[in-house]
Amino acid sequence: MLSESGLLRPGLLLLFSLAVYYYGYLWYLPQRRLRARGIKLPPGPKQEWLTGNVHQLPRIHPWLTFTSWSKIYGPVIYLRTFNKSTIILNSGKAALELLESRSGITSDRPASLMGGKISGRKVPGVFRTSSTDPRFQFFRRLLRNGLNPRASKDYRPIQLQENQILLQNLTNFPQDYGAHIRRNAVAVVLKVAYGYQVESNDDPLVHQLEHTFKLAGSLNAPGKYWVEYFPILRFIPSWFPGGGFKKIARAIGQEMKRTEMAPFEWAKNQIERGEFVESFTSKHLLEGGETLDENSLSDIRLCAAALYVGGGDTTVSALLTFILLMTLHPEIQKRAQKDIDALAPNRLPSHDDYESLPYIRAIIKETLRWGPVAPLGLSHRAMEDDIYENYFIPKGATIIANIWCVHAISDSPTPIDGPSRAIVHDEEIYPDPHVFNPERHLGNPEERQLDPFKFVFGFGRRACPGAHLAEMSLFLNITSILAVFDISKAVDKKGMEIEPKIEWSSGTTMHLKPFQCQIKPRSKERQSLYE
């Protein structure tokens, strides 16, 4: 009987042989042919002959490292990890030209074996579905129909109800502002998606969803599983040494399915009993009065889950950034409050005030520019070979738009000096990019700086279908908070102001780590508007 080490030796030899094959036949020889034709790849960090840039890939805050590289190699950077190509876009011009103007060939998603076939999921998720998949257009149509501006008006009562709860919680327990903001965002999304009412900050369904989707994120973590680089490894039996990744994928895949099913089945039961709240799920299950087959039910279930994935965490991130910025910029806060007071002196603002409060709209745009919720967005994939500004973009290359910027982060692995080249902090687009200045987005159209919504909500055919709903949720919460509360720096026992500590988490969605501030009602009169 072979020992485990005896099994490992041929396994390692097989892995090394595969690596040489992938490097030589699938990468090195094609690059020699390109050079012979006078075509070159974009510049980038020096590569190792076999592994490429694997040793240089940052594990935390990758957007910082990508930004530092842009000052050396320019706005378009090429990386290689074994046989896989990655293009990093560090300028708004490059992102718009490649991901918007050429969206017909750049709207695909990189395939994930761990999040797809190996986990037992035919569809890895709505946002990661290939644009060549027949269901892609159906998913987009389903989401657009349920989230367009006209359909979103049906969800305004949900937003208003949860907004009232948010204001009350901030009044009673202001020190827990982070938990209240998270509850608000998740409660709105779950009620919009399923008609489900979140009852507390510790709702069990919310915990289950957050836990499962964090596990799902681990399946798609770049560089974590070798099978993504060497697909042939998927044929290794799960009991074989080194095959444990298959057990992990299957376990997470099964848990994801159970988690997606739980709120969907709850919503179906409510509809059958006639006790439902109108939601995305109820609209599509009842549409046309027809009995739906299993495939249609699965598609609706996946789209409903996508609302939570795409709308919960991102709204939390944006509102926390807003709280920080109001803490740091009392003069901007006062001006916004003046506009709100003039428009609604004896009531809370509503969705109907959107057009009448341009300064609030500018604050929302500037908040998302200054601290975009998804610093690298979601990766795109080139569907065919292309040439961009004399650079070769190979078919199958992963394309990443570095949306974020450079802020002071104490544990950043790469110190950054000099002008920023990241998209929403590109000095060519946004002068003084590190300054929070809503005025950028006011005035005549020719005076305004480029709308950051062009970047922060995604690109081309992959732009966020729920952008309008997200903006209106932010508008309602931000105007209501400003109407009722003063946000300021916390003070210590001696009455001295405490400067909030600005630190960001690392991940697909970026969050501010907890910081100190004060949130107090402006007056009893204002407080009475929601009690």
Side-chain angles (χ1 to χ4, degrees), residues 189-433:
V189 170
L190 287 179
K191 204 158 189 179
V192 166
Y194 305 104
Y196 179 85
Q197 178 64 54
V198 172
E199 297 296 344
S200 72
N201 291 355
D202 297 316
D203 189 278
L205 176 60
V206 174
H207 284 301
Q208 180 184 353
L209 288 166
E210 291 184 346
H211 171 69
T212 302
F213 287 121
K214 282 180 182 177
L215 288 178
S218 70
L219 288 182
N220 298 301
K224 188 172 183 179
Y225 296 102
W226 284 75
V227 69
E228 301 292 356
Y229 298 115
F230 308 111
I232 199 171
L233 295 178
R234 70 188 185 277
F235 297 113
I236 292 177
S238 58
W239 52 263
F240 193 81
F245 66 90
K246 300 182 79 171
K247 294 180 181 178
I248 295 171
R250 279 197 292 268
I252 294 177
Q254 291 168 1
E255 184 163 350
M256 287 179 67
K257 185 174 182 179
R258 287 194 298 269
T259 300
E260 289 170 353
M261 289 293 293
F264 185 75
E265 289 299 320
W266 177 90
K268 280 180 60 182
N269 291 334
Q270 294 294 106
I271 292 168
E272 289 169 3
R273 295 204 301 263
E275 300 174 354
F276 65 96
V277 174
E278 186 173 20
S279 66
F280 177 90
T281 298
S282 70
K283 282 184 178 182
H284 289 95
L285 288 181
L286 297 174
E287 190 176 32
E290 299 177 0
T291 301
L292 301 175
D293 60 26
E294 188 56 40
N295 287 335
S296 297
L297 290 174
S298 175
D299 290 342
I300 295 170
R301 185 181 73 241
L302 287 167
C303 286
L307 297 188
Y308 180 84
V309 173
D313 221 24
T314 52
T315 305
V316 175
S317 174
L319 282 174
L320 288 175
T321 302
F322 162 76
I323 295 293
L324 172 72
L325 290 168
M326 294 302 98
T327 303
L328 296 173
H329 298 280
E331 72 290 351
I332 292 176
Q333 181 178 179
K334 293 299 180 187
R335 174 176 170 181
Q337 288 172 332
K338 184 179 178 181
D339 287 357
I340 294 169
D341 293 348
L343 180 68
N346 301 310
R347 64 174 175 86
L348 288 176
S350 71
H351 295 96
D352 296 332
D353 297 316
Y354 179 82
E355 295 297 334
S356 303
L357 291 170
Y359 194 67
I360 302 298
R361 301 202 307 270
I363 285 176
I364 294 171
K365 290 181 185 293
E366 185 68 350
T367 297
L368 293 175
R369 184 201 69 82
W370 190 88
V373 299
L376 298 179
L378 291 178
S379 302
H380 290 237
R381 175 182 173 274
M383 299 169 67
E384 58 184 64
D385 291 342
D386 195 14
I387 302 291
Y388 175 72
E389 293 196 346
N390 298 320
Y391 291 132
F392 178 64
I393 310 296
K395 178 181 178 180
T398 296
I399 305 176
I400 298 173
N402 183 14
I403 297 168
W404 205 59
C405 69
V406 183
H407 284 309
I409 297 183
S410 58
D411 57 352
S412 167
T414 307
I416 310 264
D417 299 306
S420 166
R421 293 286 303 187
I423 292 172
V424 292
H425 285 69
D426 189 335
E427 291 180 342
E428 295 178 6
I429 301 175
Y430 303 105
D432 298 320

